Amino acid sequence: MSVDLEIIGIVVLWTFLFGYILIASIDFGAGFFNAYGLFTNRQHILTKIIQRYLSPVWEVTNVFLVFFFVGVVGFFPSTAFYYGTTLLVPVSIAILLLAIRGSYYAFETYGSRSHKGYAFMYGLSGLLLPAALSIVLTISEGGFVFMQNGNPVLDYWALFSSPLTWSIVVLSVSAVLYISAVFLTWYANKANDKPATALLRRYALIWALPTIITAGGIIYELRFHNPEHYERLLGLGWMFLISGVLFVGTVWLVWRRKNYGVAFVLLFGQFAFAFYGYGISHYPYLLYPHLTLYDSFTNEAMAIALIIAFIAGLALLIPSLYLILRLFLFNKEYVSGKSKQEH
Amino acid sequence: MINEEAVYYSRILTEVTLSFHIIYATIGVGVPLLIMIAHWVGIRKNDNHYILLARRWTRGYVITVAVGVVTGTTIGLQLSLLWPNFMELAGNIIALPMFMETFAFFFEAIFLGIYLYTWDRFENQYKHLLLLIPVAIGASFSAVFITIVNSFMNAPQGFDLVNGEIVNANPILAMFNPAMPTKVSHVVGTAYMTSAFVLASIAAFRLIKGSNHIYHKKALLLTMKVGFVFTVTILITGDLSGKYLAEYQPEKLAAAEWHFETTESAELILLGVMNDEGEVKYALRIPYALSILAHGSPTAEVIGLDQFAEDEIPPLSIHYLFNIMVGVGMLMITISILFIFSKYRGWSFVDTKLFRWLIVLGGPLTIIAIEAGWWLAEVGRQPWVLRGIMRTAEGATTNNDVDLMLILFCGLYVILGIGSIVILTRMFRKNPVERELAERKGDVPS
């Protein structure tokens, strides 16, 4: 049996979305912890570690998102019609937040330093962004979009009064803080920065609980909101089970203050299993029940061209990403602030 | 169902976003090349001043990149938010270059991050220079790919439309459409030219404001030379663009030149105003020039607006935009050639305050020219979003909240515009080149 081009397309995109979620979570959470530290006078502990991580990668983070939405419209042009029409307001708000974040990060880092107002906006927008973006996931479950004169319209009342919406928002925010804290604990530990490690470790443990509770709650709510999807989720129960075991592993390691690197790898695995499990269970719908993978797919010539471009692009990107990781993330001198980093 | 109000606001919002974005995008495409040249000259001549020039330009460049990235993300998403019907159709044929553009952007982003944070890490400056090559390539290729998307909208090909459905899609043919060579070369050339003149304008301004440092003089000569070279290339590509239009989009050329009747030996109308009755006043008329511009022969026939249905003619006001664009181009080539020539002959009038003010003016003027050029190109293909296939109104969203979003984004651009200007001026005013040179003595060989 040959694999459909549709499947290849969605797997590629889902992977990029996953990449974006992980990288952006670290970024959003870091911004929040930085601002929080600033207002509780603990900024001296965290700022250096966070700035050193964020500075070389802030631009790369954004590209993952661009890559995802350009890819979606490329592989599945009909999503532009359904999602583009309905998401005007939530996505515009997300763009606004992204714009404030991206530009003010650069303004502050390269222009003037330590402005409390900027740091506050940066931190706050990092929390609002996952909320604004996660609305897309909620809408994809169906029940919030109806057709009027052949055009899709978003029912805001139904959206904002649904417990599912708010659970997904809470999950996205707490997951962001959890992922970010675990990663930064590891990063701070590598830098031999004991106070930062201790503080971030505490944040990681604090945010672990709401993350796992809401994740479980959403599965339960889907049972009433979209029974068909719920059935498919149950069929993939083993993936979520593995995810849960990995979660326990991460928390245990962080609790025992050891192997933060392994803890982050386990966290990566936990989210990978949950994210792909959720993605697979969503099949074949892109927007339930209006749009499936198959009726929105582009023509075959374009699909093949995109996949070829994708492989060629990866051949270019993977070595470059490896280079940036080696120079900054895995460079002891840089991480601990010993190498000169003037710009 | 077409929502007239949504169409109107979608057009305005797209125009505002793009007009704001292209200022930063143009600088984003052109400046890496200039940084690369300065860095290279610095290494070759073993001259600290050029290295510092590259470094200071880079620092300012980061701020413009940040605004360019966020507004680029904005327009990328707005394409689907404001023009969902258009994207649904066009996405089938033109997704490839859009996808490739993100790769180019990715490539640039990675290496810009590395370049910025490794100034003092490499013993060998050549290694550091190497990092700039992917930055410049990435920046230029994002311009190439995204301009290909735009040229497709002007000259759609590479598919057949059967009952509104796309068949026989050929993504490669769609990319290499007839509008592509002239558009891409003109856009990339103007980006280099504009960036050079913007940087020249900064150097000239510093010289006027009392800093008589040799550093600024070196910067000025270098940028004027680069600016001159690319102004020549854009004159050539501009001429080729005219010939392309005459062949493939005659209504755009005719509207831009106020060429109403199809004639042989057509005259070119320069400047002038049009009154409410559609009469042209105060214009300079150059016999045969339009035929030469359009077909390279003084007697050739040029198609006029009389060949087109009333509702397929672009607004005639684009004539003014054409004049601005060409006028600035002509002015800049004169200024730059005078400057370079005088430098070699030792004529000193180019060092007077008056001439330097002219160079300072060149920066904003070239930015105005790229705006005018883009408005000419875009308004000139109205009423089509896909020329000959889809009208602009058919491509727009039906969502009722576009007007609200327009206000929201206008606010954003005001904040970003003011913020970037404030940060940039503060950055360089606080740290003048004299101080930085003094601090760096002994840091790098000079």
Short mmCIF file of all heavy atoms in Angstrom, two decimals, chain B residues 197-234:
data_model
loop_
_atom_site.label_atom_id
_atom_site.label_comp_id
_atom_site.label_asym_id
_atom_site.label_seq_id
_atom_site.Cartn_x
_atom_site.Cartn_y
_atom_site.Cartn_z
N PHE B 197 21.47 54.12 -1.08
CA PHE B 197 21.22 55.56 -0.94
C PHE B 197 20.73 55.93 0.46
O PHE B 197 20.99 57.03 0.93
CB PHE B 197 20.24 56.04 -2.01
CG PHE B 197 20.88 56.13 -3.37
CD1 PHE B 197 20.25 55.60 -4.49
CD2 PHE B 197 22.13 56.73 -3.53
CE1 PHE B 197 20.85 55.67 -5.74
CE2 PHE B 197 22.74 56.80 -4.77
CZ PHE B 197 22.10 56.26 -5.89
N VAL B 198 20.04 55.01 1.11
CA VAL B 198 19.64 55.29 2.49
C VAL B 198 20.88 55.39 3.38
O VAL B 198 21.02 56.31 4.19
CB VAL B 198 18.67 54.20 3.01
CG1 VAL B 198 18.50 54.30 4.53
CG2 VAL B 198 17.31 54.35 2.34
N LEU B 199 21.82 54.46 3.19
CA LEU B 199 23.04 54.49 4.00
C LEU B 199 23.90 55.70 3.63
O LEU B 199 24.53 56.32 4.48
CB LEU B 199 23.82 53.19 3.83
CG LEU B 199 23.11 51.95 4.37
CD1 LEU B 199 23.87 50.68 4.01
CD2 LEU B 199 22.92 52.03 5.88
N ALA B 200 23.90 56.06 2.34
CA ALA B 200 24.63 57.25 1.90
C ALA B 200 24.04 58.49 2.57
O ALA B 200 24.76 59.40 3.00
CB ALA B 200 24.56 57.39 0.38
N SER B 201 22.74 58.49 2.66
CA SER B 201 22.06 59.63 3.24
C SER B 201 22.45 59.81 4.71
O SER B 201 22.63 60.93 5.19
CB SER B 201 20.57 59.43 3.03
OG SER B 201 19.81 59.85 4.08
N ILE B 202 22.65 58.69 5.42
CA ILE B 202 23.08 58.77 6.82
C ILE B 202 24.50 59.35 6.90
O ILE B 202 24.78 60.25 7.70
CB ILE B 202 23.03 57.38 7.49
CG1 ILE B 202 21.59 56.88 7.53
CG2 ILE B 202 23.63 57.43 8.89
CD1 ILE B 202 21.44 55.44 7.94
N ALA B 203 25.39 58.83 6.06
CA ALA B 203 26.78 59.32 6.07
C ALA B 203 26.82 60.81 5.76
O ALA B 203 27.51 61.58 6.44
CB ALA B 203 27.61 58.53 5.07
N ALA B 204 26.08 61.23 4.75
CA ALA B 204 26.07 62.65 4.37
C ALA B 204 25.53 63.50 5.51
O ALA B 204 26.03 64.59 5.79
CB ALA B 204 25.23 62.85 3.12
N PHE B 205 24.53 62.98 6.19
CA PHE B 205 23.94 63.72 7.30
C PHE B 205 24.95 63.91 8.42
O PHE B 205 25.07 65.00 8.99
CB PHE B 205 22.71 62.97 7.83
CG PHE B 205 21.94 63.73 8.86
CD1 PHE B 205 21.17 64.82 8.49
CD2 PHE B 205 21.99 63.36 10.20
CE1 PHE B 205 20.46 65.53 9.45
CE2 PHE B 205 21.28 64.06 11.16
CZ PHE B 205 20.52 65.15 10.78
N ARG B 206 25.71 62.88 8.73
CA ARG B 206 26.73 63.00 9.77
C ARG B 206 27.78 64.03 9.38
O ARG B 206 28.26 64.80 10.20
CB ARG B 206 27.41 61.65 10.04
CG ARG B 206 26.56 60.58 10.68
CD ARG B 206 25.81 61.03 11.91
NE ARG B 206 26.65 61.66 12.93
CZ ARG B 206 26.20 62.55 13.81
NH1 ARG B 206 24.94 62.93 13.78
NH2 ARG B 206 27.01 63.06 14.69
N LEU B 207 28.14 64.03 8.09
CA LEU B 207 29.14 65.00 7.63
C LEU B 207 28.62 66.43 7.77
O LEU B 207 29.35 67.34 8.16
CB LEU B 207 29.53 64.71 6.18
CG LEU B 207 30.43 63.49 5.99
CD1 LEU B 207 30.56 63.13 4.53
CD2 LEU B 207 31.80 63.73 6.61
N ILE B 208 27.35 66.63 7.43
CA ILE B 208 26.77 67.97 7.56
C ILE B 208 26.74 68.38 9.03
O ILE B 208 27.05 69.52 9.38
CB ILE B 208 25.32 67.99 7.01
CG1 ILE B 208 25.33 67.77 5.52
CG2 ILE B 208 24.63 69.30 7.36
CD1 ILE B 208 23.95 67.55 4.94
N LYS B 209 26.40 67.43 9.89
CA LYS B 209 26.20 67.76 11.30
C LYS B 209 27.53 67.88 12.05
O LYS B 209 27.57 67.70 13.26
CB LYS B 209 25.32 66.70 11.97
CG LYS B 209 23.87 66.83 11.57
CD LYS B 209 23.25 68.07 12.20
CE LYS B 209 22.01 68.49 11.43
NZ LYS B 209 21.46 69.76 11.88
N GLY B 210 28.62 68.12 11.31
CA GLY B 210 29.84 68.50 12.01
C GLY B 210 30.89 67.43 12.16
O GLY B 210 32.06 67.73 12.29
N SER B 211 30.49 66.17 12.13
CA SER B 211 31.52 65.14 12.23
C SER B 211 32.23 65.05 10.90
O SER B 211 31.66 64.63 9.90
CB SER B 211 30.88 63.79 12.55
OG SER B 211 31.80 62.76 12.31
N ASN B 212 33.50 65.49 10.88
CA ASN B 212 34.19 65.50 9.58
C ASN B 212 35.09 64.30 9.46
O ASN B 212 36.12 64.34 8.80
CB ASN B 212 34.97 66.81 9.45
CG ASN B 212 35.07 67.21 7.98
OD1 ASN B 212 34.27 66.76 7.16
ND2 ASN B 212 36.05 68.02 7.67
N HIS B 213 34.68 63.22 10.08
CA HIS B 213 35.55 62.05 10.15
C HIS B 213 35.71 61.35 8.81
O HIS B 213 34.75 61.24 8.06
CB HIS B 213 35.01 61.08 11.19
CG HIS B 213 36.05 60.18 11.75
ND1 HIS B 213 36.55 59.11 11.06
CD2 HIS B 213 36.71 60.21 12.94
CE1 HIS B 213 37.46 58.51 11.80
NE2 HIS B 213 37.58 59.17 12.95
N ILE B 214 36.91 60.86 8.58
CA ILE B 214 37.21 60.15 7.34
C ILE B 214 36.30 58.92 7.18
O ILE B 214 35.95 58.52 6.07
CB ILE B 214 38.70 59.76 7.32
CG1 ILE B 214 39.10 59.05 6.02
CG2 ILE B 214 39.07 58.88 8.50
CD1 ILE B 214 39.36 59.99 4.91
N TYR B 215 35.87 58.35 8.33
CA TYR B 215 34.98 57.18 8.34
C TYR B 215 33.71 57.46 7.53
O TYR B 215 33.30 56.67 6.69
CB TYR B 215 34.64 56.85 9.79
CG TYR B 215 33.49 55.91 10.02
CD1 TYR B 215 33.68 54.54 10.09
CD2 TYR B 215 32.20 56.40 10.19
CE1 TYR B 215 32.63 53.67 10.34
CE2 TYR B 215 31.13 55.55 10.43
CZ TYR B 215 31.35 54.18 10.50
OH TYR B 215 30.30 53.34 10.73
N HIS B 216 33.10 58.60 7.77
CA HIS B 216 31.86 58.92 7.06
C HIS B 216 32.14 59.17 5.58
O HIS B 216 31.29 58.87 4.73
CB HIS B 216 31.21 60.16 7.67
CG HIS B 216 30.76 59.95 9.08
ND1 HIS B 216 29.88 58.97 9.44
CD2 HIS B 216 31.08 60.60 10.22
CE1 HIS B 216 29.68 59.01 10.74
NE2 HIS B 216 30.40 60.00 11.25
N LYS B 217 33.32 59.74 5.28
CA LYS B 217 33.65 59.98 3.87
C LYS B 217 33.83 58.67 3.12
O LYS B 217 33.38 58.52 1.98
CB LYS B 217 34.91 60.84 3.77
CG LYS B 217 34.67 62.25 4.26
CD LYS B 217 35.88 63.13 4.08
CE LYS B 217 35.53 64.55 4.56
NZ LYS B 217 36.73 65.34 4.83
N LYS B 218 34.47 57.72 3.78
CA LYS B 218 34.64 56.40 3.16
C LYS B 218 33.26 55.75 2.94
O LYS B 218 33.00 55.17 1.89
CB LYS B 218 35.49 55.50 4.06
CG LYS B 218 36.96 55.82 4.03
CD LYS B 218 37.71 54.95 5.02
CE LYS B 218 39.19 55.31 5.03
NZ LYS B 218 39.91 54.63 6.13
N ALA B 219 32.42 55.85 3.96
CA ALA B 219 31.08 55.26 3.86
C ALA B 219 30.30 55.90 2.71
O ALA B 219 29.64 55.21 1.92
CB ALA B 219 30.32 55.47 5.16
N LEU B 220 30.44 57.21 2.57
CA LEU B 220 29.68 57.91 1.54
C LEU B 220 30.13 57.48 0.14
O LEU B 220 29.30 57.18 -0.72
CB LEU B 220 29.84 59.43 1.73
CG LEU B 220 28.96 60.30 0.85
CD1 LEU B 220 27.50 59.96 1.05
CD2 LEU B 220 29.18 61.79 1.16
N LEU B 221 31.45 57.44 -0.06
CA LEU B 221 31.94 57.07 -1.39
C LEU B 221 31.53 55.64 -1.74
O LEU B 221 31.07 55.36 -2.85
CB LEU B 221 33.46 57.24 -1.45
CG LEU B 221 34.07 57.01 -2.85
CD1 LEU B 221 33.50 57.98 -3.87
CD2 LEU B 221 35.59 57.13 -2.81
N LEU B 222 31.68 54.75 -0.76
CA LEU B 222 31.32 53.34 -1.01
C LEU B 222 29.84 53.21 -1.38
O LEU B 222 29.48 52.56 -2.38
CB LEU B 222 31.64 52.51 0.23
CG LEU B 222 31.29 51.01 0.14
CD1 LEU B 222 32.26 50.31 -0.80
CD2 LEU B 222 31.32 50.35 1.51
N THR B 223 28.97 53.82 -0.59
CA THR B 223 27.54 53.65 -0.84
C THR B 223 27.11 54.33 -2.14
O THR B 223 26.25 53.83 -2.86
CB THR B 223 26.70 54.22 0.32
OG1 THR B 223 27.20 55.51 0.65
CG2 THR B 223 26.78 53.33 1.53
N MET B 224 27.72 55.47 -2.46
CA MET B 224 27.36 56.15 -3.70
C MET B 224 27.77 55.30 -4.91
O MET B 224 27.05 55.24 -5.90
CB MET B 224 28.03 57.53 -3.79
CG MET B 224 27.43 58.55 -2.85
SD MET B 224 25.66 58.77 -3.04
CE MET B 224 25.60 60.17 -4.11
N LYS B 225 28.91 54.63 -4.80
CA LYS B 225 29.34 53.77 -5.91
C LYS B 225 28.35 52.61 -6.10
O LYS B 225 27.91 52.34 -7.22
CB LYS B 225 30.73 53.19 -5.61
CG LYS B 225 31.88 54.11 -5.94
CD LYS B 225 33.17 53.37 -5.65
CE LYS B 225 34.38 54.28 -5.77
NZ LYS B 225 35.57 53.64 -5.17
N VAL B 226 28.02 51.95 -4.98
CA VAL B 226 27.07 50.83 -5.08
C VAL B 226 25.72 51.34 -5.59
O VAL B 226 25.10 50.73 -6.48
CB VAL B 226 26.89 50.14 -3.71
CG1 VAL B 226 25.83 49.06 -3.78
CG2 VAL B 226 28.21 49.56 -3.24
N GLY B 227 25.30 52.48 -5.07
CA GLY B 227 24.03 53.06 -5.51
C GLY B 227 24.03 53.35 -7.00
O GLY B 227 23.06 53.04 -7.70
N PHE B 228 25.13 53.89 -7.48
CA PHE B 228 25.22 54.21 -8.90
C PHE B 228 25.08 52.94 -9.76
O PHE B 228 24.30 52.90 -10.71
CB PHE B 228 26.54 54.92 -9.21
CG PHE B 228 26.84 55.01 -10.67
CD1 PHE B 228 26.13 55.90 -11.47
CD2 PHE B 228 27.80 54.20 -11.26
CE1 PHE B 228 26.38 55.98 -12.84
CE2 PHE B 228 28.05 54.26 -12.62
CZ PHE B 228 27.34 55.16 -13.40
N VAL B 229 25.86 51.92 -9.39
CA VAL B 229 25.83 50.67 -10.17
C VAL B 229 24.40 50.14 -10.28
O VAL B 229 23.93 49.79 -11.38
CB VAL B 229 26.75 49.60 -9.53
CG1 VAL B 229 26.52 48.24 -10.17
CG2 VAL B 229 28.19 50.02 -9.65
N PHE B 230 23.68 50.12 -9.14
CA PHE B 230 22.35 49.53 -9.19
C PHE B 230 21.31 50.46 -9.81
O PHE B 230 20.30 49.99 -10.32
CB PHE B 230 21.94 49.02 -7.82
CG PHE B 230 22.67 47.77 -7.46
CD1 PHE B 230 23.68 47.76 -6.52
CD2 PHE B 230 22.39 46.59 -8.14
CE1 PHE B 230 24.38 46.61 -6.22
CE2 PHE B 230 23.08 45.43 -7.86
CZ PHE B 230 24.09 45.44 -6.90
N THR B 231 21.57 51.76 -9.78
CA THR B 231 20.63 52.64 -10.49
C THR B 231 20.72 52.38 -11.99
O THR B 231 19.71 52.39 -12.69
CB THR B 231 20.95 54.12 -10.20
OG1 THR B 231 21.21 54.27 -8.82
CG2 THR B 231 19.78 55.01 -10.55
N VAL B 232 21.95 52.11 -12.46
CA VAL B 232 22.09 51.78 -13.88
C VAL B 232 21.31 50.50 -14.20
O VAL B 232 20.56 50.44 -15.17
CB VAL B 232 23.58 51.63 -14.25
CG1 VAL B 232 23.71 51.10 -15.67
CG2 VAL B 232 24.29 52.96 -14.10
N THR B 233 21.45 49.48 -13.32
CA THR B 233 20.75 48.22 -13.62
C THR B 233 19.24 48.42 -13.59
O THR B 233 18.54 47.83 -14.41
CB THR B 233 21.11 47.09 -12.63
OG1 THR B 233 20.58 47.43 -11.35
CG2 THR B 233 22.60 46.87 -12.53
N ILE B 234 18.76 49.27 -12.69
CA ILE B 234 17.29 49.39 -12.66
C ILE B 234 16.76 50.24 -13.82
O ILE B 234 15.61 50.09 -14.21
CB ILE B 234 16.75 49.92 -11.31
CG1 ILE B 234 17.18 51.35 -11.08
CG2 ILE B 234 17.10 49.04 -10.17
CD1 ILE B 234 16.17 52.08 -10.25
#
